[in-house]
Amino acid sequence: MLLLTTVATLLALAPLQTAYDGPPLPKLAPEITRAEIEQHVRTLASDALLGRATGSPESVTAAHYLAEELKGCGVAPAGDEGGYLQRVPFSRPGLVGTPSLELATSDGSKPALVYDTDWRFSKLAFAKRTLGVAVARSAEEIPKEGLEEKALFLDESDRAKQREWLKSSGHVNGQGLGLLVVPAGSGMLPRRPPTLALEGALLESFRAGKAGSLTLEVRYEDQEQPAYNVVGILRGEGPGASKAIVLSAHYDHLGGAPAKPGDTQDHINNGADDDASGCSVVLELAGALAREPHRAHTIVFLLATGEEIGLVGTDYQIAHPAVPLEDTLANLNFEMLGRPDPLVGGAGKMWLTGWDETNLGAALEAAGIPIAVDPRPSENFYQRSDNIAYVHKGVVGQTFSTYNMHRDYHTVKDEADAIDFEHLTSCAQTALRAVDLVASGKVTPVFTPKSAPPDTKKPQR
Ligand SMILES: [Zn+2]
């Protein structure tokens, strides 16, 4: 039960809080324990944090949780103004005022048009438009052409069926449509195409074919949103102390929305595997490494925001690093370690991206640390997480993962209950051995001669 109290207290204080002053969080044991790993994942992936979208108040709450845990481990702050949080400039278009909808009906009737009661919409790419209305009660009724200036109303509530109708009529993702109009029903509105969802009498007037044309007006402006990296540091000792390694994971995810009354559907992308699992490993490594008195190299802990929207947080840390890049030996990134991967031997077995790019994989193998080669090179995972931002700057960057291509990836089903905590705990313990090899200076990660840092091509997510 402690867990719930903690999240609720954190949320009650967000987003304007500048420091955590809730009840004391449980002190982390230096050892890597399943109980703590589970606490981290269940806290970050809780419905209360609404999928931790970058810039959301809930993601700020998550940042404070992470900062408090680093502090509890005895890791020093390396964010802004002596704290753990590093503000990352971030803005996104936000609604200005109340959007308006006007409707011309064939019988002059005037159904109620209250925004967010009778209608709502997903992101629109226009400010104001007037569109004629076309109605389809089956896929066959959808014209293949001539809908660019039309609002196409599909009299079907099921999102999957809507997608099928559009596909079979040659309008995949709404191509060739001015606007898609659907019954509100349940479930998140699609991001593509721009969609208008209707309820009540307004919906009935469309169903009855009375809607002649509509005018929709929406105003957006770029709005600054609070976004933070969480950054901590453990200084090394002796000659190697000027050199650092960065241990990282991203804590942001895709976000979500609480269900509306009467709506039983799940709208929260909890991101337990992606990447609350990696964050839990980095926190546990912090606890264990903070206990080691004599480290050679300095260790930076980076819990990054903005990975899902283009490595925004990591790029910002690289531009404003806790330790200069020229003194950064490597970035070891932890991503999706919550479920065993049968391709590398299942429970407790991790794989490393970019094996052939550096000497690290071979060095781990030589040291008897059971890390496998990324078994799916064609998936391009080396380019698909925060590590690649370091590589683009000429710093070794590789990701440890056990992602097994599960179908819950980037869906509302990536829940904490689907995490194998024994597996994850064992991965964290192996990760400690790997990190120790580098942090102690026994191994210095370098690029293999053939692999100059890859070009600046944008990574696919
Ligand atoms: Zn991820």
Side-chain angles (χ1 to χ4, degrees):
M1 258 323 99
L2 171 65
L3 187 59
L4 285 175
T5 320
T6 310
V7 173
T9 314
L10 284 174
L11 268 177
L13 292 162
L16 303 170
Q17 87 185 78
T18 52
Y20 177 77
D21 59 1
L25 289 165
K27 192 151 181 28
L28 292 187
E31 301 74 32
I32 293 178
T33 70
R34 180 206 156 118
E36 287 173 12
I37 287 258
E38 187 159 354
Q39 174 197 302
H40 299 322
V41 171
R42 289 195 180 283
T43 302
L44 295 167
S46 61
D47 280 355
L49 293 188
L50 286 180
R52 313 178 305 277
T54 302
S56 69
E58 292 78 19
S59 78
V60 178
T61 305
H64 283 295
Y65 174 81
L66 296 163
E68 204 51 39
E69 293 299 333
L70 285 180
K71 188 173 155 194
C73 295
V75 168
D80 301 341
E81 294 153 20
Y84 293 89
L85 268 53
Q86 177 185 42
R87 176 87 190 228
V88 175
F90 175 68
S91 66
R92 77 165 112 223
L95 271 183
V96 178
T98 306
S100 81
L101 175 65
E102 287 165 26
L103 185 67
T105 56
S106 53
D107 64 353
S109 59
K110 293 195 175 308
L113 298 170
V114 181
Y115 171 62
D116 218 15
T117 302
D118 304 303
W119 63 281
R120 55 195 171 99
F121 62 91
S122 62
K123 191 155 175 356
L124 296 178
F126 58 78
K128 184 174 185 176
R129 250 182 127 177
T130 297
L131 298 152
V133 174
V135 174
R137 295 182 182 82
S138 69
E140 294 67 38
E141 285 187 15
I142 302 175
K144 301 244 182 303
E145 285 151 0
L147 293 175
E148 286 77 5
E149 295 305 319
K150 295 273 185 188
L152 174 67
F153 170 63
L154 299 184
D155 193 0
E156 171 53 65
S157 300
D158 183 279
R159 299 266 178 265
K161 277 213 183 120
Q162 291 163 2
R163 279 195 297 275
E164 275 162 35
W165 288 19
L166 289 177
K167 194 168 176 197
S168 67
S169 60
H171 298 289
V172 176
N173 285 334
Q175 273 160 24
L177 297 186
L179 181 71
L180 179 65
V181 186
V182 297
S186 58
M188 295 274 271
L189 286 180
R191 287 174 195 225
R192 274 188 308 157
T195 303
L196 184 63
L198 311 178
E199 304 201 33
L202 177 58
L203 172 59
E204 292 320 314
S205 74
F206 273 70
R207 281 203 165 120
K210 292 182 191 160
S213 69
L214 61 84
T215 301
L216 194 49
E217 186 168 6
V218 181
R219 269 188 343 110
Y220 291 102
E221 72 181 8
D222 258 8
Q223 292 166 345
E224 265 292 309
Q225 311 248 333
Y228 299 94
N229 287 330
V230 181
V231 194
I233 193 162
L234 284 175
R235 297 276 171 202
E237 284 176 11
S242 63
K243 298 294 178 190
I245 59 172
V246 177
L247 305 184
S248 66
H250 73 90
Y251 73 89
D252 68 295
H253 194 52
L254 302 175
K260 291 204 155 142
D263 178 358
T264 54
Q265 289 239 339
D266 180 358
H267 309 308
I268 300 173
N269 300 285
N270 300 73
D273 196 18
D274 187 8
D275 187 26
S277 65
C279 294
S280 75
V281 169
V282 170
L283 287 178
E284 289 300 289
L285 289 173
L289 292 159
R291 185 185 61 174
E292 291 180 12
H294 306 297
R295 277 169 310 282
H297 293 316
T298 289
I299 303 171
V300 173
F301 298 89
L302 170 62
L303 287 313
T305 190
E307 190 270 357
E308 302 287 2
I309 53 171
L311 314 186
V312 171
T314 298
D315 281 343
Y316 189 79
Q317 166 65 200
I318 286 172
H320 308 82
V323 170
L325 280 195
E326 57 273 23
D327 294 326
T328 301
L329 296 172
N331 162 232
L332 304 182
N333 185 48
F334 297 89
E335 171 82 89
M336 301 187 69
L337 300 127
R339 305 187 191 190
D341 185 356
L343 286 194
V344 295
K349 295 285 186 313
M350 289 185 286
W351 44 264
L352 182 67
T353 65
W355 188 279
D356 299 333
E357 307 291 335
T358 79
N359 64 339
L360 181 59
L364 294 172
E365 203 168 39
I369 300 174
I371 311 265
V373 180
D374 169 3
R376 301 175 190 82
S378 61
E379 289 292 334
N380 236 356
F381 289 125
Y382 181 56
Q383 307 246 352
R384 285 174 55 183
S385 190
D386 289 301
N387 64 287
I388 202 65
Y390 282 91
V391 173
H392 284 163
K393 296 294 179 189
V395 175
V396 164
Q398 291 173 270
T399 289
F400 294 84
S401 182
T402 68
Y403 175 43
N404 60 19
M405 308 297 286
H406 59 78
R407 300 167 67 83
D408 299 339
Y409 171 67
H410 279 196
T411 76
V412 295
K413 295 198 183 110
D414 180 2
E415 303 264 10
D417 285 343
I419 297 292
D420 179 335
F421 289 107
E422 286 305 330
H423 157 74
L424 181 52
T425 307
S426 158
C427 288
Q429 285 152 350
T430 303
L432 179 57
R433 294 175 59 200
V435 170
D436 256 343
L437 203 65
V438 180
S440 63
K442 289 193 192 93
V443 166
T444 299
V446 291
F447 289 107
T448 46
K450 75 164 182 55
S451 67
D455 63 25
T456 58
K457 200 162 43 10
K458 263 269 165 245
Q460 309 137 29
R461 216 137 324 286

